[in-house]
Amino acid sequence: METYDRLPIEPGLQRKHSVSIRRWFRSGDPWIWLSATAVGVSIVAVVGLITLIAWKGLAHFWPADVHTIEYHDEWDEYVLVGEIAQRESISRDLYQEFNPSDTELPPGSVRRWMMKTGNRKVNAPDFRWIDVHLIESKIQDPNMVVFERSEWGNAYGTIVELRESGQTIAVDDLWSELKRRVQRASSLRNTSEKLQKRSIDQINYQLERLRLQQRKRELRGNFETADLNTKQSELIQEYELHEQSLREIDEKLQRDQVVIRIANGSESIIELRDIEHLWRPNSMSFLSKFGHYVSTIWNFLTQDSREANTEGGIFPALFGTILMVILMSVLVTPFGVIAAVYLREYARQGTLVRLIRIAVNNLAGVPSIVYGVFGLGFFVYLIGGTIDDLFFEAAKPAPTFGTPGLIWASLTLALLTVPVVIVSTEEGLTRIPSALREGSLALGATKAETLFKVVMPMASPAMLTGVILAIARAAGEVAPLMLVGVVKLAPSLPIDGNFPFLHLDRKFMHLGFHIYDVGFQSPNVDAVRPLVFATALLLILIIIVLNLTAILLRNRLEARYREALQ
Amino acid sequence: MELPDSDISLNVVNLSLSYADKPALQNITMKIPKQRVTALIGPSGCGKSTLIRCFNRMNDLIDSVSVTGRIELNKLDIHDKNVDVAQLRRQVGMVFQRPNPFPKSIEENVAYGLRLTKEVPKSELESRVEWALKSAALWDEVKDRLKDTALGLSGGQQQRLVIARAIAVQPSVLLLDEPASALDPISTLKIEELIAELKTQYTIAIVTHNMQQAARVSDFTAFLYLGELIEFNNTRTIFTNPRQEKTEDYVSGRYG
């Protein structure tokens, strides 16, 4: 009897328990939690990634303090001068494995700093790891000056003396005198650059056009060159004038030098013409540091790169990326929209159209490098080559359009993104209620009038969605660009003051490729790492800004048509 | 029911229509008189909407439709290959079951049909819009907000706007495909009053599910059943003294 009494209770309890879990599952709550978790993880990942990149990239521009550190290891004692570029802790075991004889090791994990010691010209390498417990003293000399040079990276040292044409100048305030003279040198340098970039480049451009003109005449059997020759000699005369003034500026630039004392106590000479910027971080207030920070970021955004892209700014890459994306959008939008309108509105909905639609969808999945190869073969060699044959006979054998360039890169990316535009435009067209089409047709509008006056405006948000997706995909694409127009270092921007101002045939620089080139093709990894982060941040920001603009535009349009679409 | 030729607006002769192989209308012959209201009634799926959509060739939009027989509008065959469909549709205006204003301003909605042709000069556009809105008994309600979006109007106002849009191009025939079925009773009443006024100038064909409505607004009534025209006569005769048994069953509410 006892067992009989008990038996029904236990299974009943069990069932109650399992029923409530099953009911919880059936209620759908677990799926809500699962979705919420997935969304949360995605947001954390995205925000975390951007924060990391922003932090690593932006910290680089802050004028860090320069430490003078006395340091010893088993063999010797050193004095190091530099910024702390990175801090990290490594495990005791790992440290002891490599330094078995170190007896001074304090308890706990081992801290190390990576010092950016600069002065690459004198003592390479310019980055060194030091173990914090081996530091004997660390001071910040308020007179320590950081020189950012146009070659050889940063130099750190204290000013010993200033020289003008080899003679020491006697002044009390060496720092203000130095700054004044650096100012003079940089304004001279600006003049010289302007002369080179504007006037001399322009003359070269015109000379090249004269040469082409002459060649064109020769091809037509016309050997009359007298007028061209006079023009040419005029240009050459002008060129020589400019060159003369360039030489004069150059002489002026060589006047000043500064002698500094560097970490190992020796003296080093820096030409003032080589100094891009100089500052004394140890005696700067927070506000002046901030000013310096802003101007450094500004320079990064607006200046050309130096030293094989490892220093200086990224303006050409920034410019190239934006110009390429805009050109791509201008090309892809009409093309994709027209294709979608034909497929959805005019084509007979049969097997053929279905096959085309499948093909378009599959096109979106083709690896981008394949597009690059296609672009090189079809656009560059075939179309570009034909254009050269037809219109640029005179320039041959040098190719004009038959070589990778901006227009081919934009076209290749337009081809890469056209499926996205087609698909979303088609979706937009399908969503327009047939009642509105009929309403327009019933008023005596033709199909085309209905399309332009009612259907297309209402489908415009969907078209913009397509363009947004296209931009997002195209701006981050690098692989195909390497084949059809992007280079490590472009000699000139695709837009300049020479007719026809927009040079579609030119090669250009791109942020995505810049990241690859700077980060992975440069010998000095430690020096460029922050630049990689900063460039990546900029690329992400550009994509975000381009996307946000398009999204805002789309939302405004969508608000206008929302009620009609319901 | 004999009418002199001059009083006939639409003359339908032996009209048959099928979707792919499925017949929808069979041998319809009827004469729709000028400046009268003709109601088409019948149970769902009997082909009354299909028939009315033949009059402005809206069925052309469907690929699988094939039509035989003739429809004459003022003695002209509307299927003649010289007939411009857009031109035909300007003469035969249509209002649909659900109000379908364009997502544009009230003014632009009414002017839409006018802007398609150069018939009305730009300077007269405004007065034409005003006239159309007045004819549709909507002017007083919207005259202060002509530039506002038409989607902000109520359902009944939207339907009257659509009627204004249709009469702005001055058609000779107005086709109303269940114009009040999506509206509340008051809006329905307004539409019915409007129909009574419009029939002095336009030939009106109205499809309706609502037999009281047919009885109230129409002068003639056609009863369709399974794609065939069962009976076509004066509304009074149809509702009080139908000749066919099917008609009587339907109007007395025995099926439908």
Side-chain angles (χ1 to χ4, degrees), chain A residues 82-381:
Chain A
E83 302 165 16
I84 303 173
Q86 206 178 324
R87 297 162 209 258
E88 66 171 33
S89 295
I90 58 172
S91 79
R92 246 183 121 74
D93 296 342
L94 187 66
Y95 180 79
Q96 274 171 340
E97 200 176 310
F98 289 95
N99 304 282
S101 55
D102 189 347
T103 49
E104 299 168 48
L105 191 59
S109 60
V110 185
R111 290 193 296 143
R112 329 193 286 163
W113 290 348
M114 186 171 73
M115 301 291 296
K116 180 183 182 184
T117 57
N119 299 350
R120 201 189 301 159
K121 207 170 180 177
V122 185
N123 48 348
D126 52 354
F127 285 85
R128 293 184 62 162
W129 282 102
I130 58 171
D131 302 313
V132 175
H133 68 277
L134 298 174
I135 292 174
E136 277 170 2
S137 74
K138 187 182 94 159
I139 56 160
Q140 295 178 21
D141 183 350
N143 290 318
M144 192 58 72
V145 184
V146 183
F147 299 90
E148 188 190 330
R149 295 177 293 186
S150 49
E151 281 166 6
W152 297 101
N154 284 3
Y156 302 94
T158 47
I159 306 169
V160 178
E161 60 176 29
L162 282 174
R163 288 181 188 164
E164 184 179 314
S165 320
Q167 303 297 312
T168 307
I169 322 167
V171 280
D172 294 333
D173 190 351
L174 279 174
W175 171 246
S176 358
E177 181 65 19
L178 174 62
K179 269 174 74 166
R180 210 174 53 73
R181 282 170 186 257
V182 166
Q183 190 68 47
R184 165 185 171 273
S186 80
S187 76
L188 277 173
R189 214 171 43 213
N190 274 346
T191 324
S192 139
E193 257 168 37
K194 221 177 260 176
L195 207 60
Q196 271 176 36
K197 279 211 165 161
R198 301 242 173 97
S199 316
I200 293 188
D201 275 5
Q202 204 170 351
I203 291 172
N204 280 334
Y205 189 80
Q206 283 168 353
L207 280 172
E208 173 65 13
R209 280 169 66 119
L210 279 182
R211 188 187 70 79
L212 290 180
Q213 230 171 324
Q214 186 180 343
R215 178 88 183 104
K216 220 182 248 174
R217 284 190 192 175
E218 280 170 18
L219 284 173
R220 274 195 245 115
N222 177 358
F223 294 91
E224 170 73 41
T225 55
D227 56 329
L228 296 182
N229 283 345
T230 44
K231 259 191 216 165
Q232 194 180 1
S233 50
E234 272 168 29
L235 282 171
I236 289 175
Q237 252 172 8
E238 206 182 327
Y239 181 89
E240 274 163 1
L241 267 172
H242 285 310
E243 213 173 40
Q244 180 60 34
S245 49
L246 261 185
R247 265 198 298 275
E248 279 163 21
I249 295 172
D250 217 41
E251 265 166 37
K252 282 187 199 161
L253 266 171
Q254 281 168 8
R255 192 187 72 177
D256 295 336
Q257 291 167 326
V258 60
V259 181
I260 60 167
R261 175 156 293 118
I262 60 174
N264 59 13
S266 64
E267 289 183 354
S268 172
I269 298 172
I270 300 176
E271 301 276 345
L272 254 55
R273 58 178 303 175
D274 292 338
I275 298 175
E276 293 277 336
H277 303 282
L278 75 170
W279 64 96
R280 290 191 298 183
N282 296 345
S283 52
M284 278 160 94
S285 67
F286 178 81
L287 217 64
S288 60
K289 275 188 174 182
F290 186 77
H292 183 269
Y293 179 68
V294 171
S295 78
T296 319
I297 290 182
W298 179 248
N299 288 336
F300 178 69
L301 293 179
T302 55
Q303 287 187 346
D304 288 359
S305 59
R306 303 190 310 267
E307 295 268 67
N309 291 345
T310 59
E311 271 169 47
I314 51 164
F315 179 71
L318 179 65
F319 189 81
T321 309
I322 294 179
L323 185 63
M324 194 268 301
V325 168
I326 291 175
L327 264 180
M328 186 275 311
S329 315
V330 167
L331 292 169
V332 78
T333 313
F335 189 53
V337 166
I338 290 170
V341 164
Y342 178 76
L343 278 181
R344 178 58 61 185
E345 303 285 328
Y346 285 103
R348 226 186 144 77
Q349 303 296 317
T351 325
L352 185 65
V353 164
R354 220 169 36 243
L355 278 177
I356 291 174
R357 213 166 268 140
I358 292 171
V360 165
N361 281 322
N362 281 334
L363 224 53
V366 173
S368 54
I369 188 74
V370 176
Y371 282 99
V373 175
F374 174 80
L376 184 67
F378 181 71
F379 290 132
V380 178
Y381 292 150

Side-chain angles (χ1 to χ4, degrees), chain A residues 348 435-436 438-446 449-450 453-454 458 560-561 563-564 566, chain B residues 53 56 58 61 86 89-90 92 94 96 100-104 112-113 115-116 151 165-166:
Chain A
R348 226 186 144 77
L436 287 179
E438 288 186 343
S440 169
L441 290 169
L443 285 168
T446 62
E449 284 167 335
T450 304
K453 293 190 164 195
V454 176
M458 289 185 71
R560 192 186 305 168
Y561 298 123
E563 282 173 87
Q566 277 160 3
Chain B
R53 288 165 69 94
N56 63 347
M58 283 306 268
L61 302 176
R89 288 179 188 151
R90 275 195 283 278
V92 186
M94 186 164 202
F96 300 83
N100 59 351
F102 304 126
K104 300 171 186 279
Y112 185 89
R115 285 191 197 277
L116 293 171
L151 302 175
R165 188 172 75 183

Side-chain angles (χ1 to χ4, degrees), chain A residues 512-530:
Chain A
F513 184 69
H514 199 76
I515 293 173
Y516 167 73
D517 180 58
V518 171
F520 306 97
Q521 302 291 295
S522 128
N524 197 345
V525 184
D526 291 319
V528 297
R529 187 177 297 138

Side-chain angles (χ1 to χ4, degrees), chain A residues 421-445:
Chain A
V421 179
I422 293 182
V423 168
S424 56
T425 306
E426 270 208 78
E427 258 162 38
L429 292 173
T430 338
R431 273 176 61 201
I432 311 300
S434 58
L436 287 179
R437 294 167 193 263
E438 288 186 343
S440 169
L441 290 169
L443 285 168

